[in-house]
Amino acid sequence: MIGDPGDPAEVYDGTTIVLHWLTAILVAIQFLIGRTTGLLPRGALRLDVWSMHVVFGFVLTGVVTLGMVWRARYGRRPPPSNRGALHLAAVTTHRLLDFLLLIMIALGITDVFAHGFPLFNLWHFPKVGGREFVLSVNAWHGWMANILAAVALRHAAAALFHHHVMRNGVLLRMWWR
Ligand code: HEM
Ligand code: HEM
């Protein structure tokens, strides 16, 4: 049975589960900070919140890298939970999420250097490029954040649909037990 907690082959391993939820929580925090910090008045508080975004961004970089290496080399991958078109849709969404995470990380780190970011006003990253470059990298980072949020919401809705409507164990196999 899909997600049978008594059958180890049917559930993800603990490391994959922890790294998946850490990624999800960090992406949610990053999106929230990214979409609200511009509303704060210019000054020390705003810079500190953006600095937290950069710190969490580097933590996310580590978590995503570890997650991908772990899944590829050591992680347990349960058998497909769907067939045919639904299976294709699930796999496409998962690989798209991986791809968008990597793009967001690359754009975020480029954004740090494009700004010559003053981390907590204590340490300045070296600045690369001019004003046009900052604007364009920042715009791409913002657009890709919206696309990632939309795909992640669709992915979460599919997981909840499996759980509450199809009443199978797809969500449980990515859950702590
Ligand atoms: C999936 C994860 C992430 C999300 C959802 C996200 C989201 C956002 C959003 C929505 C903005 C505002 C863009 C705009 O002005 O239109 C932003 C800005 C920014 N992000 Fe991210 N971000 C993520 C990861 C990262 C990473 C990994 C880094 C670097 C380590 C980073 C560094 C920055 C910087 C430097 C800015 C500009 C701050 C400023 O204007 O002073 N972000 N982010
Ligand atoms: C930004 C947020 C999220 C990201 C980036 C993300 C990413 C991923 C990825 C890449 C996989 C595929 C793992 C593999 O290769 O086998 C996956 C699986 C899964 N995710 Fe997420 N996820 C997020 C949020 C969520 C949320 C909010 C839920 C639940 C409401 C959820 C439930 C699941 C489940 C149940 C699976 C296993 C699906 C299966 O085995 O067919 N995810 N997630």
Side-chain angles (χ1 to χ4, degrees):
M1 189 195 109
I2 299 172
D4 180 357
D7 180 358
E10 269 300 332
V11 294
Y12 285 89
D13 60 284
T15 308
T16 300
I17 295 175
V18 168
L19 292 172
H20 171 268
W21 290 107
L22 258 180
T23 303
I25 290 166
L26 282 167
V27 168
I29 292 175
Q30 289 297 77
F31 189 77
L32 216 73
I33 295 181
R35 283 281 159 253
T36 55
T37 309
L39 305 173
L40 292 173
R42 278 181 193 282
L45 175 64
R46 179 151 141 182
L47 178 61
D48 285 351
V49 180
W50 275 129
S51 298
M52 287 308 299
H53 183 82
V54 170
V55 171
F56 285 141
F58 283 114
V59 175
L60 177 70
T61 305
V63 169
V64 167
T65 310
L66 208 68
M68 285 183 184
V69 172
W70 178 267
R71 270 191 282 140
R73 294 192 59 130
Y74 313 105
R76 189 169 55 233
R77 193 180 290 269
S81 46
N82 303 289
R83 287 179 204 285
L86 272 185
H87 172 62
L88 189 68
V91 172
T92 309
T93 306
H94 294 164
R95 296 299 71 84
L96 184 60
L97 283 168
D98 283 336
F99 175 71
L100 287 167
L101 284 171
L102 291 178
I103 293 274
M104 280 307 291
I105 286 168
L107 284 168
I109 293 175
T110 311
D111 210 343
V112 167
F113 287 98
H115 273 83
F117 195 85
L119 196 70
F120 297 107
N121 237 343
L122 292 175
W123 193 76
H124 286 246
F125 283 85
K127 185 165 170 57
V128 176
R131 190 171 156 68
E132 285 301 309
F133 184 58
V134 181
L135 290 178
S136 121
V137 173
N138 211 49
W140 276 101
H141 188 64
W143 274 108
M144 285 294 160
N146 292 345
I147 294 175
L148 173 60
V151 177
L153 279 178
R154 206 213 73 97
H155 164 73
L160 294 174
F161 186 81
H162 272 281
H163 190 69
H164 290 295
V165 181
M166 294 169 81
R167 293 187 181 279
N168 59 34
V170 169
L171 180 58
L172 293 178
R173 65 195 202 166
M174 192 53 106
W175 203 251
W176 286 274
R177 57 205 71 248

